[in-house]
């Protein structure tokens, strides 16, 4: 694969044709894929999906796990509901995560990703130990499938994330670095954070966010790439310094003109890539 292939975060749950058409129109060769619901995971549908991506020359680089009752409305609701942190739903969600890893394997994808949630930081909290145990189970299952498990950044500082990864102690545990999330969650300065967790970064979201919030703007609202407080050129330069040349995956979640924003983001990344890698 070329260095820094461009990509987008996409979904097939709303209909593979529509999803793939949009990806083809944008001309990208990589995608991260939201895991579709169980109805998409039969052997036959997996084969169809895999073939359609392959026929289009598109590589799925990470399958992202989410849960229907994850609630991103407020940071408080994220703390209560997201990922493998909520104790009551952890067993079911763990089983679902392992099933999605199997689905990703059927698609030939060697990584799954997830917002793990707000992991308790106190080492005396038994829930921290329980989340670590669950994370090890995911890693160990992924290991049997030849996969990595990527943690989405943002819900904790880079130092906390590094401490967590070190404690889990599995070499297929990795980071999906999202610089905008660091701003949105108030989890620290993104570029400094990248230096802290850089050795574990195996995928990135190219997403932007403005620190200055507009009146009435939800906390999670992102910004068109290049218009927020992530310095995208500096972000790529840091990735280059780290030796990260994997996919640059655009994530644009809340936009009145998502297609236009995605095109503009891909142009920006293409220009920066050419400049930084010296290609013409
Ligand atoms: Mg993200």
């Amino acid at each position: 694969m070329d260095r820094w292939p461009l990509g987008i975060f996409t979904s097939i749950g709303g209909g593979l044709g529509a999803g793939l058409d949009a990806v083809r129109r944008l001309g990208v060769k990589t995608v991260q894929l939201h895991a579709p619901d169980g109805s998409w995971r039969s052997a036959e549908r997996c084969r169809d999906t895999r073939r359609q991506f392959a026929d289009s020359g598109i590589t799925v680089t990470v399958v992202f796990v989410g849960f229907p009752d994850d609630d991103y409305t407020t940071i408080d609701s994220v703390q209560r509901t997201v990922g493998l942190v909520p104790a009551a739903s952890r067993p079911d969600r763990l089983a679902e995560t392992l099933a999605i890893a199997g689905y990703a394997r059927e698609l030939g994808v060697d990584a799954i990703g997830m917002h793990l949630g707000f992991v308790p930081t106190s080492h005396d909290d038994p829930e921290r130990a329980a989340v670590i145990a669950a994370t090890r189970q995911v890693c160990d299952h992924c290991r049997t499938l030849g996969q990595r498990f990527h943690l989405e950044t943002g819900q904790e500082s880079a130092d906390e994330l590094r401490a967590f990864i070190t404690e889990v102690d599995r070499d297929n545990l990795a980071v999906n670095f999202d610089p905008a999330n660091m701003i949105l969650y108030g989890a620290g300065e993104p570029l400094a954070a990248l230096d802290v967790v850089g050795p574990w970064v195996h995928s990135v979201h190219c997403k932007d966010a403005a620190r200055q919030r507009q009146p009435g703007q939800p906390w999670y609202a992102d910004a068109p790439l290049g218009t927020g407080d992530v310095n995208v050129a500096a972000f790529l330069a840091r990735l280059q310094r780290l030796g990260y040349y994997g996919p640059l995956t655009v994530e644009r979640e809340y936009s009145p003109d998502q297609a236009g924003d995605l095109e503009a983001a891909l142009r920006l990344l293409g220009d920066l890539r050419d400049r930084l890698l010296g290609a013409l």
Side-chain angles (χ1 to χ4, degrees):
M1 195 177 275
D2 292 340
R3 294 193 293 175
W4 282 347
L6 303 186
I8 63 167
F9 205 154
T10 193
S11 167
I12 56 172
L16 180 57
L20 252 184
D21 281 349
V23 176
R24 283 198 204 99
R25 216 171 22 249
L26 289 165
V28 297
K29 295 299 175 197
T30 72
V31 293
Q32 290 189 8
L33 184 68
H34 285 285
D37 66 42
S39 70
W40 285 81
R41 300 184 213 148
S42 68
E44 188 183 352
R45 290 194 92 175
C46 281
R47 272 196 305 276
D48 282 350
T49 301
R50 185 173 180 155
R51 187 173 56 240
Q52 289 184 58
F53 277 113
D55 288 350
S56 302
I58 295 163
T59 302
V60 181
T61 56
V62 183
V63 173
F64 251 82
V65 180
F67 306 105
D69 44 351
D70 284 341
D71 181 354
Y72 286 93
T73 311
T74 65
I75 289 184
D76 180 60
S77 69
V78 173
Q79 284 178 326
R80 282 184 287 103
T81 68
V82 166
L84 295 180
V85 169
S89 52
R90 190 179 304 128
D92 287 349
R93 289 177 169 201
L94 184 54
E96 172 75 347
T97 302
L98 304 189
I100 289 171
Y103 167 73
R105 181 67 270 157
E106 291 298 310
L107 294 187
V109 180
D110 64 5
I112 63 167
M114 187 196 288
H115 273 286
L116 197 63
F118 278 89
V119 180
T121 53
S122 166
H123 288 253
D124 300 330
D125 188 335
E127 283 303 303
R128 179 178 176 85
V131 175
I132 285 172
T135 306
R136 286 178 179 150
Q137 273 187 266
V138 177
C139 288
D140 293 345
H141 184 74
C142 285
R143 157 75 54 218
T144 68
L145 301 175
Q147 294 170 325
R148 293 179 308 277
F149 181 34
H150 294 197
L151 303 179
E152 172 87 344
T153 54
Q155 290 156 7
E156 62 287 296
S157 71
D159 285 338
E160 287 166 356
L161 181 58
R162 181 174 58 183
F164 179 79
I165 291 171
T166 303
E167 204 172 339
V168 172
D169 193 25
R170 292 294 187 272
D171 64 6
N172 61 333
L173 184 60
V175 167
N176 181 87
F177 193 86
D178 183 327
N181 282 355
M182 308 299 295
I183 292 172
L184 293 170
Y185 285 94
E189 203 282 310
L191 300 187
L194 179 56
D195 286 342
V196 174
V197 298
W200 290 278
V201 172
H202 278 266
S203 58
V204 300
H205 285 164
C206 294
K207 187 170 98 180
D208 215 336
R211 282 200 175 81
Q212 180 69 46
R213 311 305 290 169
Q214 302 302 315
Q217 186 181 32
W219 74 272
Y220 49 77
D222 51 350
L225 197 68
T227 71
D229 290 310
V230 172
N231 180 336
V232 182
F235 177 52
L236 293 197
R238 296 256 184 148
L239 290 174
Q240 186 173 29
R241 206 166 71 198
L242 285 166
Y244 175 89
Y245 292 108
L248 301 178
T249 305
V250 179
E251 183 180 31
R252 176 69 172 128
E253 296 187 285
Y254 305 97
S255 170
D257 179 19
Q258 195 176 44
D261 288 350
L262 287 174
E263 281 177 31
L266 291 167
R267 270 198 307 278
L268 173 65
L269 290 175
D271 289 348
L272 289 171
R273 178 181 62 182
D274 290 350
R275 200 166 86 207
L276 285 165
L277 300 186
L280 292 174

